[in-house]
Amino acid sequence: MLNRALSMVMCFSVILGIAAGCGTKEEVKPSATISSEPAKATEKPVEKPKEVVTLKFLTGKVETVDLVNQMIAKFQTENPGIKVEQEYQKDASNVIKIKFASGDVPDITTVVSQDYIDQGKYLDLSNAAFWSRVLPAVKDLNTDIKTGKQFSAAATVTMGGIFYNKQIFSELGLKEALTWADFKTNLKTIKDKKKGVVPMFLPGKEAWSMGHLIEFMAHGIIKQQYGVYESRKAFINNDGAKLAFDAPGGSMETFAARIMELKNEGLINADALTATYDNEKEDFVAGKAAMFSQGMWVLGDLLKINPDFAKNIGFSPFPALQDGGKPVVLSAEDSKYAITSASKHPEEAKKFLDFLFKAENLKSYSEAIKSPSAFTDVKADWGPLQDQATQALKTGVNIAFTDTPSGFSGDDVGRMVQELIAGKYKTPADFAKTYKETWDKGWKASK
């Protein structure tokens, strides 16, 4: 009762105070103004939804498109504010020229060229944390000779050489050939004794694959002579004295002569100019082709076509093209990634690259494409050719990829090989002369 009485007294006092205030003639100060409207709660500013960042990713690696799409889906789930659009182009090394020129530049790409490094087209990745996990030899191959910085990073290590059908070799008593004479003898034996089997399959419709023939076999002559570091400098600086593309009896003339031998003697497939990469893989697994030239990136596809064929796949170095030369085997960084300096979202691009380079993702990648990882903390069962690949590295001179000028890309090189097979060049010397002229022109255009 006491509380209730006290409350009534207080209320009454308030009412009297208000009444007295209303009766006075004094002007009420603005600070004492009493609003007749109910007080409003303080409104919090509405946050605008974050804009989704879209990263454009240009790749030329057909073998990894589906796998990377799966990784992109996982990345986007973990990073809902970032969307990644993968674009595959068969002729990616030339497509990127158009993109750089038009301003439609991808944020991330697998296309890395020395000329574009020189032009500042890529971000410097030298301070990235992942380098502490990369094999030292792979980091060296990713190091720009001119600046000592890293503008790209590789996910895997790859090897390139001659794939052969072990069952056919066993049936005919053949051995891996390290000289050109022995290589041709093997091919002729297959032609004579295995009717319906192509001795050496060329997927001539694929310019990139034809370009590899020069990169591995013709340029292999130069690379074994000067070693990885000095030959890279020679290609990058267009050192004519060392490259000697048009020298009589040199690397290019010898290469052209060897390819023409294979064609003229019926040791390659008759449809070499129209055959595709898929045709090559399918015919090999079907036992219709005895040998072909590729890198380890092909292994995953071969096993997808027929997992049981693994026991029949052999791998050896490329035979020496010149008498007195040595066999060579590609041993280089692969699946390289670079972030373009024109990217409007470099931090998001770095985040995606870090995601791709997580150990669990690298393991999946390595095992899918059947190539060893470039990272020391990744243990992957990358395929049935581990022992043969190791032996090939011991048998042949280890060479790296060619630093081709962007004005004369690997696809451009491949088109010259297509022309060689088509009979455009009268002599091997004519091919060598044209190759040097085209290389020089492309090199100057890239500067």
Side-chain angles (χ1 to χ4, degrees):
M1 291 292 291
L2 178 63
N3 288 340
R4 182 176 178 186
L6 181 60
S7 296
M8 291 180 66
V9 170
M10 292 178 66
C11 289
F12 185 66
S13 298
V14 171
I15 293 170
L16 287 177
I18 293 174
C22 290
T24 184
K25 293 181 180 180
E26 292 182 10
E27 186 175 338
V28 181
K29 295 180 181 179
S31 59
T33 301
I34 299 175
S35 174
S36 60
E37 297 181 3
K40 295 181 180 180
T42 304
E43 295 182 0
K44 294 182 179 180
V46 178
E47 292 186 7
K48 293 182 179 180
K50 290 185 178 180
E51 192 174 328
V52 174
V53 169
T54 299
L55 297 177
K56 296 180 179 179
F57 171 43
L58 175 66
T59 180
K61 292 186 70 63
V62 64
E63 300 90 354
T64 64
V65 171
D66 292 339
L67 175 63
V68 172
N69 275 335
Q70 294 173 18
M71 291 186 176
I72 288 174
K74 182 180 177 183
F75 173 78
Q76 291 177 161
T77 299
E78 296 178 8
N79 301 271
I82 307 175
K83 179 181 179 183
V84 182
E85 296 179 347
Q86 180 177 208
E87 176 186 354
Y88 164 69
Q89 291 287 349
K90 181 184 292 188
D91 198 4
S93 58
N94 280 316
V95 169
I96 201 167
K97 295 180 192 176
I98 301 171
K99 289 185 177 291
F100 277 134
S102 67
D104 180 25
V105 183
D107 299 277
I108 305 172
T109 181
T110 61
V111 182
V112 182
S113 166
Q114 181 66 43
D115 299 323
Y116 296 141
I117 291 176
D118 296 343
Q119 295 167 27
K121 299 291 189 184
Y122 307 115
L123 283 186
D124 180 5
L125 302 176
S126 302
N127 294 323
F130 56 70
W131 287 115
S132 63
R133 302 161 49 219
V134 177
L135 292 166
V138 176
K139 183 178 180 180
D140 287 344
L141 289 170
N142 278 278
T143 300
D144 177 35
I145 285 178
K146 296 182 180 181
T147 64
K149 298 179 179 179
Q150 292 85 35
F151 296 95
S152 65
T156 58
V157 177
T158 193
M159 281 156 275
I162 298 295
F163 285 79
Y164 65 91
N165 186 310
K166 292 171 70 174
Q167 182 178 347
I168 291 177
F169 267 51
S170 178
E171 290 176 4
L172 301 180
L174 305 179
K175 295 181 179 180
E176 295 179 0
L178 303 181
T179 67
W180 185 257
D182 289 344
F183 185 68
K184 272 190 65 177
T185 297
N186 283 350
L187 295 177
K188 288 181 177 179
T189 301
I190 294 167
K191 179 186 177 183
D192 294 339
K193 297 185 177 181
K194 296 292 290 185
K195 301 301 181 183
V197 175
V198 172
M200 179 75 177
F201 195 104
L202 297 184
K205 190 174 182 179
E206 315 286 354
W208 63 268
S209 190
M210 293 298 95
H212 280 334
L213 291 178
I214 284 185
E215 189 171 19
F216 303 155
M217 300 176 78
H219 291 175
I221 296 173
I222 301 168
K223 293 169 183 176
Q224 67 176 266
Q225 183 177 358
Y226 296 104
V228 173
Y229 183 78
E230 289 301 325
S231 63
R232 282 192 67 201
K233 280 199 337 185
F235 284 111
I236 288 172
N237 296 321
N238 196 20
D239 186 340
K242 290 182 177 179
L243 299 181
F245 288 139
D246 61 346
S251 59
M252 301 314 302
E253 184 175 331
T254 300
F255 169 79
R258 299 311 193 199
I259 294 298
M260 295 313 299
E261 285 177 33
L262 300 184
K263 177 190 174 183
N264 295 336
E265 296 178 33
L267 301 177
I268 60 175
N269 43 313
D271 63 346
L273 283 175
T274 58
T276 66
Y277 181 44
D278 285 341
N279 296 150
E280 177 181 68
K281 293 179 289 188
E282 291 162 358
D283 280 13
F284 182 71
V285 171
K288 298 178 181 178
M291 285 187 271
F292 67 92
S293 161
Q294 279 299 344
M296 284 296 171
W297 52 80
V298 74
L299 187 55
D301 284 351
L302 296 179
L303 298 179
K304 283 181 183 177
I305 297 172
N306 183 0
D308 295 332
F309 196 74
K311 62 182 180 297
N312 290 331
I313 303 175
F315 180 78
S316 67
F318 296 101
L321 290 187
Q322 292 179 322
D323 294 338
K326 297 178 181 178
V328 299
V329 59
L330 175 74
S331 175
E333 78 285 19
D334 194 29
S335 295
K336 293 171 68 171
Y337 298 91
I339 298 173
T340 62
S341 55
S343 171
K344 295 179 181 179
H345 310 291
E347 294 308 313
E348 289 82 359
K350 290 177 183 177
K351 195 169 187 178
F352 179 59
L353 195 58
D354 285 337
F355 174 82
L356 292 179
F357 288 167
K358 284 185 175 181
E360 62 267 28
N361 292 333
L362 288 168
K363 182 178 186 296
S364 298
Y365 190 94
S366 177
E367 292 179 347
I369 67 170
K370 305 304 179 188
S371 289
S373 178
F375 285 69
T376 58
D377 59 344
V378 178
K379 306 302 179 185
D381 180 11
W382 57 267
L385 293 185
Q386 295 184 49
D387 293 340
Q388 290 185 69
T390 300
Q391 183 57 47
L393 291 173
K394 294 178 181 178
T395 304
V397 175
N398 296 186
I399 62 172
F401 284 110
T402 300
D403 295 285
T404 56
S406 60
F408 186 45
S409 70
D411 294 297
D412 296 326
V413 172
R415 280 184 271 277
M416 282 197 67
V417 180
Q418 291 171 338
E419 293 171 347
L420 175 66
I421 297 172
K424 177 179 178 180
Y425 304 98
K426 296 180 180 178
T427 65
D430 184 32
F431 175 84
K433 178 176 178 291
T434 304
Y435 185 88
K436 182 183 185 308
E437 292 172 350
T438 310
W439 174 283
D440 288 344
K441 183 179 178 180
W443 188 82
K444 290 177 182 177
S446 303
K447 303 307 169 186

